[in-house]
Amino acid sequence: MNNPHTDYDIIIVGAGPAGGMCAYELSKRKFNILIIEKEKLPRYKVCAGGLTKKAVDILPNDLHTLAENYTYNIHLTLNHDRGFSKEVSFPIVTMVMRDRFDYFLVQKSICNDARILDGTKVNSIEEFPDYVIVRTEKGDFKSKVVVGADGANSLVARSVGLRKKPRLGVALEGEAFPDDNGSIHIDFNVIPRGYGWIFPKKDHLSVGVFTTLPKIKEIKKYFSIYFEKKGLSMRYRCRSILGHQIPIGGRSETLNTKRGLLIGDAAGLADPITGEGIYFGLRSGQMAAEVIAESLSGNHSGLDRYTRMVNNEIINDLRYATYIAMFFYKLTPIIYDLGIKKNLISEDLIKALVSGHPYRDIFIKIPRKIFNLLIPIKINY
């Protein structure tokens, strides 16, 4: 196979935030890129659609054209009780619709001469020493590198022998159409080892429940009860209710082969506390583009540096987030009262969740702050 219409430098499977960012960064470097997406773009996707500040900071400046809403206030409860609100000076979350946001990055890549093949299912991938063959329902394509940006159940990962036992959480979400005051609602303990959320968009709400458990019975029941308890069921109809798996990060794994690598959800990079994955998808897409560009330009280290970069910058910190999540969800009443309502850890936690403040620092601070509250004794020597 040696055809300019089927031969590429890089093939990216999946056009979500990770794939879109990787394609955008590589297209600026003028590589020959093909993006393959199984859905026809722009495609509707049920998603909370919240961009944290750390995500916004690494995106193109014209992102503001996509913003549905900006939220500066977060409202927390524990099983619909112990209400507490926190307001900050910067947007905690910038709300977007995933169909427009994902297409935004793809279009920027197309403007830099990347090619998109949407509405196309990938059937199989074969990796050879010097190239990769991606077989689709519309023909076979050859590339020097393949990037798996195809989600939690990545075909690319299975095909190249990576991430054989992913760690997964579960979410169920839908959309309702009331007016709202613009606050984010986070409600802990409405589902075991997890929380419920309401994110305000321009003309509707994204509503959902998330658990860090890999499996849970009757998740629809938890969602329905949450929807009712928030006072939405009598006035608003929820539609587009869909469930999906969340690939929870925090475990070191090999994320590349000689000719392939995984990014975003395919690499298992969602936040262990919240399940948020957009930022880590974007950032891993940037890292992948940097390493691929170096590799294709003659760097002898190949793609191995990508795994090291992700482990050093993302996985190592998510490991501390995993410890915090275990502590948080198992002891939520204590942590909520001591940490959130008394503001011992809430501000630090918000900084970590949305601004890139290291989870390691929060992990070190939590025991010290709680200890100081419980034993407020000053000893003079």
Coordinates of all heavy atoms in Angstrom, one line a residue, residues 315-356:
I315 N -0.7 10.9 36.0 CA -1.0 9.7 36.8 C -0.5 9.9 38.2 O -1.2 9.5 39.2 CB -0.4 8.5 36.1 CG1 -1.0 8.2 34.7 CG2 -0.6 7.3 37.0 CD1 -2.4 7.9 34.8
N316 N 0.7 10.4 38.4 CA 1.2 10.5 39.8 C 0.4 11.4 40.6 O 0.2 11.1 41.8 CB 2.7 11.0 39.7 CG 3.7 10.0 39.3 OD1 3.4 8.8 39.2 ND2 4.9 10.4 38.9
D317 N -0.2 12.4 40.1 CA -1.0 13.3 40.9 C -2.4 12.7 41.1 O -3.0 12.8 42.1 CB -1.2 14.7 40.2 CG -1.6 15.8 41.2 OD1 -1.0 15.8 42.3 OD2 -2.5 16.5 40.9
L318 N -2.9 12.0 40.0 CA -4.2 11.3 40.2 C -4.2 10.2 41.2 O -5.2 9.8 41.7 CB -4.7 10.8 38.8 CG -5.1 11.9 37.8 CD1 -5.7 11.2 36.5 CD2 -6.1 12.8 38.3
R319 N -3.0 9.7 41.4 CA -2.9 8.7 42.5 C -3.2 9.3 43.9 O -3.9 8.6 44.7 CB -1.4 8.1 42.5 CG -1.3 6.9 43.5 CD 0.1 6.3 43.3 NE 0.3 5.7 42.0 CZ 1.2 6.2 41.1 NH1 1.9 7.2 41.4 NH2 1.3 5.5 40.0
Y320 N -2.8 10.5 44.1 CA -3.2 11.2 45.3 C -4.7 11.5 45.3 O -5.3 11.5 46.4 CB -2.4 12.5 45.5 CG -1.0 12.2 45.9 CD1 0.1 12.2 45.0 CD2 -0.6 11.9 47.2 CE1 1.4 12.0 45.3 CE2 0.7 11.7 47.6 CZ 1.7 11.7 46.6 OH 3.0 11.4 47.0
A321 N -5.2 11.8 44.2 CA -6.7 12.1 44.1 C -7.4 10.8 44.4 O -8.5 10.8 45.0 CB -7.1 12.5 42.7
T322 N -6.9 9.6 44.0 CA -7.5 8.3 44.4 C -7.6 8.2 45.9 O -8.6 7.7 46.4 CB -6.7 7.2 43.8 OG1 -6.7 7.3 42.3 CG2 -7.3 5.8 44.1
Y323 N -6.5 8.5 46.6 CA -6.5 8.4 48.1 C -7.5 9.3 48.7 O -8.3 8.9 49.6 CB -5.1 8.7 48.6 CG -4.0 7.9 48.1 CD1 -2.7 8.4 47.9 CD2 -4.2 6.6 47.7 CE1 -1.6 7.6 47.5 CE2 -3.1 5.8 47.2 CZ -1.9 6.3 47.1 OH -0.8 5.6 46.6
I324 N -7.6 10.5 48.1 CA -8.6 11.5 48.6 C -10.0 11.0 48.4 O -10.9 11.1 49.3 CB -8.4 12.9 48.0 CG1 -7.0 13.5 48.4 CG2 -9.5 13.8 48.4 CD1 -6.6 14.7 47.6
A325 N -10.2 10.4 47.2 CA -11.6 9.9 46.9 C -12.0 8.8 47.8 O -13.1 8.7 48.3 CB -11.6 9.5 45.4
M326 N -11.1 7.9 48.1 CA -11.4 6.8 49.0 C -11.7 7.3 50.4 O -12.7 6.9 51.0 CB -10.2 5.8 49.1 CG -9.9 5.1 47.8 SD -8.3 4.2 47.9 CE -8.5 3.1 49.3
F327 N -10.9 8.3 50.9 CA -11.2 8.9 52.2 C -12.5 9.6 52.2 O -13.3 9.5 53.1 CB -10.0 9.8 52.5 CG -10.0 10.4 53.8 CD1 -10.1 9.7 55.0 CD2 -9.9 11.8 53.9 CE1 -10.1 10.3 56.2 CE2 -9.9 12.4 55.2 CZ -10.0 11.6 56.3
F328 N -12.7 10.4 51.1 CA -13.8 11.3 51.0 C -15.2 10.5 50.9 O -16.1 10.8 51.6 CB -13.7 12.2 49.7 CG -14.6 13.4 49.7 CD1 -14.2 14.5 50.3 CD2 -15.8 13.3 49.1 CE1 -15.0 15.6 50.3 CE2 -16.6 14.4 49.0 CZ -16.3 15.6 49.6
Y329 N -15.2 9.5 50.0 CA -16.5 8.8 49.8 C -16.8 7.8 50.9 O -18.0 7.5 51.2 CB -16.5 8.2 48.5 CG -16.7 9.2 47.3 CD1 -15.7 9.3 46.3 CD2 -17.8 10.0 47.3 CE1 -15.9 10.2 45.3 CE2 -17.9 11.0 46.3 CZ -16.9 11.1 45.3 OH -17.1 12.0 44.3
K330 N -15.8 7.3 51.6 CA -16.1 6.4 52.7 C -16.5 7.2 54.0 O -17.2 6.6 54.9 CB -14.9 5.5 53.0 CG -14.7 4.5 51.9 CD -13.5 3.6 52.3 CE -13.3 2.5 51.2 NZ -12.2 1.6 51.6
L331 N -16.0 8.4 54.2 CA -16.2 9.1 55.4 C -16.9 10.5 55.1 O -16.6 11.5 55.7 CB -14.9 9.4 56.2 CG -14.1 8.1 56.6 CD1 -12.8 8.5 57.2 CD2 -14.9 7.3 57.6
T332 N -17.8 10.5 54.1 CA -18.4 11.7 53.7 C -19.0 12.6 54.8 O -18.7 13.8 54.8 CB -19.4 11.5 52.5 OG1 -18.7 10.8 51.5 CG2 -20.0 12.7 52.1
P333 N -19.8 12.1 55.7 CA -20.4 13.0 56.7 C -19.4 13.7 57.5 O -19.5 14.9 57.8 CB -21.2 12.0 57.6 CG -21.5 10.8 56.7 CD -20.3 10.7 55.8
I334 N -18.3 13.0 57.9 CA -17.3 13.6 58.7 C -16.5 14.6 57.9 O -16.3 15.8 58.3 CB -16.3 12.6 59.3 CG1 -17.0 11.6 60.2 CG2 -15.1 13.2 60.0 CD1 -16.2 10.4 60.6
I335 N -16.1 14.2 56.7 CA -15.3 15.1 55.8 C -16.2 16.3 55.5 O -15.6 17.4 55.4 CB -14.9 14.4 54.6 CG1 -14.0 13.2 54.9 CG2 -14.1 15.3 53.6 CD1 -12.7 13.6 55.7
Y336 N -17.4 16.1 55.2 CA -18.3 17.2 54.8 C -18.3 18.3 55.9 O -18.1 19.5 55.6 CB -19.7 16.7 54.4 CG -20.6 17.8 53.9 CD1 -20.6 18.2 52.5 CD2 -21.4 18.6 54.8 CE1 -21.4 19.2 52.1 CE2 -22.2 19.6 54.3 CZ -22.2 19.9 52.9 OH -23.0 20.9 52.5
D337 N -18.6 17.9 57.1 CA -18.8 18.8 58.2 C -17.5 19.5 58.6 O -17.4 20.7 58.8 CB -19.4 18.1 59.4 CG -20.9 17.8 59.2 OD1 -21.5 18.5 58.4 OD2 -21.4 16.9 59.9
L338 N -16.4 18.7 58.7 CA -15.1 19.2 59.1 C -14.4 20.0 58.0 O -13.8 21.0 58.2 CB -14.2 18.1 59.6 CG -14.7 17.4 60.9 CD1 -13.7 16.4 61.3 CD2 -14.9 18.5 62.0
G339 N -14.5 19.4 56.8 CA -13.7 19.9 55.7 C -14.4 21.0 54.8 O -13.9 22.0 54.5
I340 N -15.7 20.7 54.4 CA -16.4 21.5 53.5 C -17.1 22.7 54.2 O -16.8 23.9 54.0 CB -17.4 20.7 52.7 CG1 -16.7 19.6 51.9 CG2 -18.2 21.6 51.7 CD1 -15.7 20.0 50.9
K341 N -18.0 22.4 55.2 CA -18.7 23.5 55.8 C -17.8 24.4 56.6 O -18.1 25.6 56.7 CB -19.8 22.9 56.7 CG -20.9 22.2 55.9 CD -22.2 21.9 56.7 CE -22.9 23.2 56.9 NZ -24.2 23.0 57.5
K342 N -16.8 23.8 57.2 CA -15.9 24.7 58.0 C -14.7 25.2 57.2 O -13.8 25.8 57.7 CB -15.3 23.9 59.2 CG -16.4 23.5 60.2 CD -15.8 22.8 61.4 CE -16.9 22.5 62.4 NZ -17.7 23.6 62.9
N343 N -14.8 25.0 55.9 CA -13.9 25.6 54.9 C -12.4 25.2 55.1 O -11.5 25.9 54.8 CB -14.0 27.1 54.9 CG -13.5 27.7 53.6 OD1 -13.6 27.0 52.5 ND2 -13.0 28.9 53.6
L344 N -12.2 24.0 55.7 CA -10.9 23.5 55.9 C -10.2 23.1 54.6 O -9.0 23.3 54.4 CB -10.8 22.4 56.9 CG -11.1 22.7 58.4 CD1 -11.1 21.5 59.2 CD2 -10.1 23.7 58.9
I345 N -11.0 22.4 53.8 CA -10.4 21.9 52.6 C -11.1 22.3 51.3 O -10.6 22.1 50.2 CB -10.3 20.4 52.6 CG1 -11.7 19.7 52.7 CG2 -9.4 19.9 53.7 CD1 -11.7 18.2 52.5
S346 N -12.3 23.0 51.5 CA -13.1 23.2 50.3 C -12.4 24.1 49.3 O -12.4 23.9 48.1 CB -14.4 23.9 50.7 OG -14.2 25.1 51.4
E347 N -11.7 25.2 49.7 CA -11.0 26.1 48.8 C -9.9 25.4 48.1 O -9.7 25.5 46.9 CB -10.6 27.3 49.6 CG -10.0 28.4 48.6 CD -9.9 29.8 49.4 OE1 -10.6 30.0 50.4 OE2 -9.1 30.6 48.9
D348 N -9.1 24.6 48.9 CA -8.0 23.9 48.3 C -8.5 22.9 47.3 O -7.9 22.7 46.3 CB -7.2 23.2 49.4 CG -6.4 24.1 50.3 OD1 -6.0 25.2 49.8 OD2 -6.2 23.8 51.5
L349 N -9.6 22.2 47.7 CA -10.1 21.2 46.8 C -10.6 21.8 45.5 O -10.4 21.2 44.4 CB -11.2 20.4 47.5 CG -11.7 19.1 46.8 CD1 -10.5 18.1 46.7 CD2 -12.8 18.5 47.6
I350 N -11.3 22.9 45.6 CA -11.7 23.6 44.3 C -10.6 24.0 43.5 O -10.6 23.8 42.2 CB -12.6 24.8 44.7 CG1 -13.9 24.4 45.3 CG2 -12.8 25.7 43.5 CD1 -14.8 25.5 45.8
K351 N -9.5 24.5 44.1 CA -8.3 24.8 43.3 C -7.7 23.6 42.6 O -7.3 23.7 41.4 CB -7.2 25.4 44.2 CG -7.5 26.8 44.7 CD -6.4 27.3 45.6 CE -6.7 28.7 46.1 NZ -5.7 29.2 47.1
A352 N -7.7 22.5 43.3 CA -7.2 21.2 42.6 C -8.1 20.8 41.5 O -7.6 20.4 40.4 CB -7.0 20.1 43.7
L353 N -9.4 20.8 41.7 CA -10.3 20.3 40.7 C -10.3 21.2 39.5 O -10.4 20.7 38.4 CB -11.7 20.3 41.3 CG -12.0 19.2 42.4 CD1 -13.3 19.4 43.0 CD2 -11.8 17.8 41.9
V354 N -10.3 22.5 39.6 CA -10.5 23.4 38.5 C -9.2 24.1 38.0 O -9.2 24.6 36.9 CB -11.6 24.4 38.7 CG1 -12.9 23.6 39.1 CG2 -11.3 25.4 39.8
S355 N -8.2 24.3 38.9 CA -7.1 25.2 38.5 C -5.8 24.5 38.4 O -4.8 25.2 38.1 CB -7.0 26.3 39.6 OG -8.2 27.1 39.6
G356 N -5.7 23.2 38.6 CA -4.5 22.5 38.4 C -3.6 22.5 39.6 O -2.4 22.1 39.6

